[in-house]
């Protein structure tokens, strides 16, 4: 079909358009030749810049891509370091509490029961084996009352403490009736008597210290009252005491009041107790009682059950004279007055003292006050016979060091250590951000491992606890966290205790 306007279908180009195209081509050819000649303005600018740059300094120009300078190595599988198991004789080995080494140290002030770590050449580089037939511990709260014999195969306590109701051996398990030397009828009844004087139920008491804890039955039953007790006992001839406690799911460490400070910050515990712990409280001019005072919070309580309390009843059983025991109790009460402790209760085998909230009403006659040193520089520091001063207050009603909210409100409230600016580099805002971050982390952990937060993981350790955010986010009656603050890092352990959590300094 042909076009209406061009019946032949051929469209001829006009001579004028052909001439125009040839003319433009010639023009651009001449323009390009002029630019290359060096007379063009643009090229003169480039020429001037070239004159100012000395290209001779770039003698090693390399036009390869930069990543070619690094050898590309194919990814390989990580080489795992393999540690062989130790000999079975090391099943109960605890490096810094090794019995043979301990016996080489003086017995004065229980020095031989303190930590004595092996030199480098004696350290083991093998894995401590579990006892033969070791079984997964019972879940809490059953673990409080039962422990597999295979896990702690030591029966000596069942014989030596049989009448005191500490532990019984039945079949293939140990049973813990909840008894103790001073509460053979059970820890619950004993704690009920304490609670008639001490406000345990309302959250005022959250952290407690049990000196000479045995198998930690007192701490085990305080957990029912939402109180976390840091229990300690020496590794002596009853070497399994603390191991029993841990198998039961109860916080405990090997430790002793000897010649060095306890590894806890000042004003850490709301309560401390000694239930026939056999600590000579009047020795060394009351040095051990002064150390308990250091870690006891203003307004906190100290419980003493056992010698010399109720000496009129027990002096013959204890094989001591009335005069000796009476003088010992009098000395304890004199020391308590120097420490600003007030006796609140004495009945039967129990005496309860309360530390005053500040020193405004204290009657101290030439008391030997400790000289200021690092805030809580106590790791491997010698214990001194001196009284730790109260923090300064502006009124008689103010709590020295800062008042704490009742638990659980204090878990996320701003601790006095932070509100007073005592932790370098930590503000109220950064503390709150840390809490948010750890809540996020713990939620993520639980999505990966749904057993976290259940009774399956009872004893948990945070090896670099910071402000205690992990333990706070994980807080539950089903588990407890030992917050470790390394001695080479920022001292945050005071914050952790103010939150109602427990922990320890360590290197």
């Amino acid at each position: 079909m042909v076009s209406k306007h061009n019946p032949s279908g051929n469209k001829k180009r006009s001579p004028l358009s052909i001439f125009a195209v040839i003319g433009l081509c010639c023009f651009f050819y001449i323009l390009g030749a002029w630019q290359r000649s060096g007379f063009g303005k643009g090229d003169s600018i480039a020429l001037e810049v070239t004159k100012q740059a000395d290209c001779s300094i770039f003698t090693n120009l390399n036009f390869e891509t930069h990543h070619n300078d690094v050898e590309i190595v194919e990814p390989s599988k990580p080489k795992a370091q393999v540690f062989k198991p130790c000999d079975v004789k090391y099943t109960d080995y605890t490096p810094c509490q090794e019995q043979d080494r301990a016996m080489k140290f003086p017995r004065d002030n229980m020095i031989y029961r303190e930590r004595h770590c092996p030199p480098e050449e004696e350290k083991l580089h093998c894995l401590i084996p579990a006892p033969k037939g070791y079984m997964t511990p019972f879940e809490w709260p059953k673990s409080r009352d039962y422990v597999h014999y295979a896990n702690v195969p030591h029966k000596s306590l069942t014989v030596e403490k049989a009448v005191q109701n500490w532990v019984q051996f039945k079949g293939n398990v140990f049973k813990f009736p909840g008894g103790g030397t001073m509460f053979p009828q059970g820890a619950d009844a004993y704690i009920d008597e304490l609670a008639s004087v001490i406000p345990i139920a309302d959250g005022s008491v959250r952290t407690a210290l049990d000196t000479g804890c045995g198998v930690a039955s007192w701490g085990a039953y305080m957990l029912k009252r939402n109180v976390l007790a840091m229990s300690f006992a020496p590794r002596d001839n009853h070497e399994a005491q603390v191991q029993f406690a841990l198998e039961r799911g109860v916080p405990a460490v090997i430790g002793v009041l000897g010649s060095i400070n306890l590894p806890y910050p000042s004003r850490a515990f709301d309560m401390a107790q000694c239930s026939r712990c056999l600590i000579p409280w009047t020795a060394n001019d009351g040095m051990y009682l002064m150390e308990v005072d250091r870690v006891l919070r203003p307004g906190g309580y100290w419980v003493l059950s056992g010698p010399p309390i109720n000496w009129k009843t027990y002096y013959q059983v204890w094989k001591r004279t009335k005069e000796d025991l009476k003088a010992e109790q009098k000395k304890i009460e004199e020391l308590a007055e120097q420490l600003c402790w007030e006796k609140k209760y004495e009945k039967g085998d129990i005496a309860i003292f309360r530390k005053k909230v500040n020193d405004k009403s204290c009657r101290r006659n030439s008391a030997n006050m400790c000289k200021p040193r690092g805030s809580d520089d106590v790791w491997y520091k010698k214990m001194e016979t001196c009284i730790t001063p109260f923090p300064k207050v502006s009124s008689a009603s103010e709590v020295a060091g800062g008042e704490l909210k009742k638990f659980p409100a204090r878990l996320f409230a701003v601790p006095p250590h932070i509100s007073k600016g005592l932790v370098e580099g930590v503000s109220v805002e950064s503390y709150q951000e840390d809490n948010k971050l750890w809540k996020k982390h713990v939620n993520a952990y639980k999505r990966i491992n749904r057993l976290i937060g259940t009774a399956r993981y009872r004893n948990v350790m945070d090896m670099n606890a910071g402000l205690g955010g992990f333990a706070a986010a994980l807080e539950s009656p089903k588990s407890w966290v030992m917050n470790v603050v390394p001695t080479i890092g920022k001292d945050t352990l005071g914050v952790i205790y103010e939150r109602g959590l427990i922990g320890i300094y360590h290197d």
Side-chain angles (χ1 to χ4, degrees):
M1 185 175 179
V2 297
S3 170
K4 179 179 178 182
H5 302 287
N6 191 6
S8 65
N10 295 324
K11 185 176 181 180
K12 296 181 179 180
R13 299 182 183 276
S14 68
L16 182 61
S17 63
I18 294 172
F19 179 77
V21 170
I22 293 171
L24 286 172
C25 290
C26 292
F27 173 77
F28 284 116
Y29 174 82
I30 295 169
L31 180 63
W34 177 66
Q35 291 282 1
R36 286 179 61 87
S37 69
F39 292 100
K41 185 176 179 181
D43 203 58
S44 65
I45 295 173
L47 184 63
E48 189 62 30
V49 172
T50 302
K51 289 178 181 178
Q52 295 176 14
D54 183 5
C55 292
S56 64
I57 63 173
F58 301 109
T59 58
N60 298 319
L61 285 176
N62 185 346
F63 297 99
E64 296 294 326
T65 52
H66 289 287
H67 65 259
N68 284 345
D69 292 338
V70 181
E71 183 182 358
I72 298 176
V73 180
E74 290 297 323
S76 59
K77 294 181 179 180
K79 294 181 180 179
Q81 186 175 359
V82 178
F83 292 96
K84 296 180 179 179
C86 303
D87 189 275
V88 69
K89 68 180 180 181
Y90 289 108
T91 291
D92 291 319
Y93 179 75
T94 307
C96 301
Q97 299 285 345
E98 203 270 320
Q99 189 73 358
D100 291 340
R101 181 179 293 105
M103 299 308 292
K104 298 175 183 177
F105 289 86
R107 299 201 171 205
D108 299 340
N109 295 330
M110 297 291 284
I111 292 174
Y112 75 117
R113 295 294 186 203
E114 294 177 331
R115 286 169 49 90
H116 301 289
C117 298
E120 189 63 37
E121 63 273 12
E122 291 184 31
K123 290 180 180 178
L124 295 181
H125 295 278
C126 54
L127 300 177
I128 301 299
K132 185 178 180 180
Y134 186 87
M135 302 173 69
T136 301
F138 295 107
E139 288 193 356
W140 185 266
K142 187 176 181 180
S143 66
R144 184 194 66 189
D145 302 325
Y146 295 96
V147 166
H148 295 293
Y149 169 74
N151 295 8
V152 196
H154 302 287
K155 294 183 181 178
S156 60
L157 285 175
T158 64
V159 178
E160 296 188 34
K161 303 294 183 180
V163 297
Q164 295 163 7
N165 218 19
W166 278 29
V167 57
Q168 302 165 359
F169 179 63
K170 294 189 175 183
N172 60 353
V173 299
F174 289 109
K175 182 179 180 182
F176 297 84
T181 305
M182 297 311 299
F183 40 94
Q185 302 307 312
D188 262 339
Y190 175 79
I191 295 170
D192 283 342
E193 184 172 358
L194 302 184
S196 67
V197 181
I198 302 171
I200 294 174
D202 70 353
S204 297
V205 173
R206 166 62 178 178
T207 57
L209 181 69
D210 190 4
T211 57
C213 67
V215 295
S217 286
W218 183 74
Y221 281 81
M222 287 294 279
L223 286 166
K224 286 177 57 177
R225 323 283 176 125
N226 211 18
V227 174
L228 271 176
M230 174 68 80
S231 302
F232 69 81
R235 179 165 182 164
D236 53 15
N237 56 314
H238 307 311
E239 62 181 25
Q241 290 183 87
V242 167
Q243 190 63 38
F244 272 135
L246 293 171
E247 284 288 333
R248 297 175 72 184
V250 179
V253 295
I254 297 175
V256 65
L257 270 168
S259 65
I260 59 176
N261 289 121
L262 294 172
Y264 315 115
S266 301
R267 307 185 304 280
F269 297 98
D270 305 313
M271 178 181 180
Q273 82 119 18
C274 160
S275 174
R276 193 171 169 78
C277 60
L278 302 180
I279 294 172
W281 295 114
T282 59
N284 299 323
D285 296 322
M287 182 171 70
Y288 300 138
L289 210 56
M290 293 174 182
E291 178 65 357
V292 170
D293 174 70
R294 182 184 70 80
V295 300
L296 189 63
R297 194 177 306 286
Y301 295 85
W302 183 62
V303 178
L304 176 60
S305 59
I309 305 303
N310 205 5
W311 54 266
K312 294 178 181 178
T313 302
Y314 295 116
Y315 74 96
Q316 289 180 320
V317 177
W318 295 336
K319 297 180 180 179
R320 294 175 62 182
T321 65
K322 290 182 178 181
E323 292 74 21
D324 181 30
L325 288 163
K326 182 179 180 180
E328 183 180 352
Q329 180 161 349
K330 183 180 178 182
K331 179 63 175 176
I332 288 174
E333 293 179 355
E334 289 173 352
L335 285 166
E337 187 173 350
Q338 280 192 320
L339 296 170
C340 289
W341 296 4
E342 181 183 2
K343 185 194 278 188
K344 290 291 188 180
Y345 179 86
E346 182 177 345
K347 184 178 179 181
D349 302 338
I350 299 173
I352 300 175
F353 296 80
R354 189 186 185 200
K355 183 175 180 176
K356 294 185 178 181
V357 297
N358 56 52
D359 59 1
K360 290 290 187 182
S361 60
C362 294
R363 297 178 181 178
R364 286 175 167 167
N365 300 320
S366 63
N368 180 25
M369 306 301 292
C370 297
K371 296 178 181 178
R373 64 180 182 187
S375 57
D376 283 304
D377 183 17
V378 294
W379 183 249
Y380 274 94
K381 293 297 188 295
K382 287 288 184 183
M383 202 182 296
E384 299 178 13
T385 306
C386 61
I387 299 172
T388 303
F390 282 85
K392 298 296 182 184
V393 295
S394 56
S395 69
S397 60
E398 183 182 351
V399 178
E403 188 171 2
L404 299 177
K405 293 184 180 295
K406 296 177 180 179
F407 197 85
R410 71 191 260 194
L411 187 61
F412 289 104
V414 178
H417 265 75
I418 291 176
S419 62
K420 294 177 181 291
L422 301 180
V423 183
E424 184 181 356
V426 180
S427 64
V428 172
E429 291 75 20
S430 62
Y431 165 75
Q432 292 169 339
E433 283 299 316
D434 185 76
N435 287 333
K436 292 178 183 177
L437 185 64
W438 276 110
K439 285 181 180 179
K440 181 179 177 181
H441 285 334
V442 170
N443 286 334
Y445 298 160
K446 289 179 177 179
R447 286 195 296 270
I448 297 169
N449 183 346
R450 296 185 184 279
L451 293 176
I452 292 175
T454 71
R456 174 60 185 85
Y457 298 119
R458 176 65 183 166
N459 307 352
V460 183
M461 179 181 288
D462 187 346
M463 297 176 68
N464 187 16
L467 301 174
F470 168 73
L474 195 65
E475 204 283 321
S476 163
K478 296 177 181 178
S479 62
W480 59 271
V481 178
M482 178 67 79
N483 294 282
V484 179
V485 173
T487 56
I488 61 171
K490 186 178 295 183
D491 184 1
T492 55
L493 196 53
V495 171
I496 289 168
Y497 274 95
E498 286 176 344
R499 300 185 72 168
L501 304 168
I502 58 172
I504 194 168
Y505 292 115
H506 217 291
D507 63 357

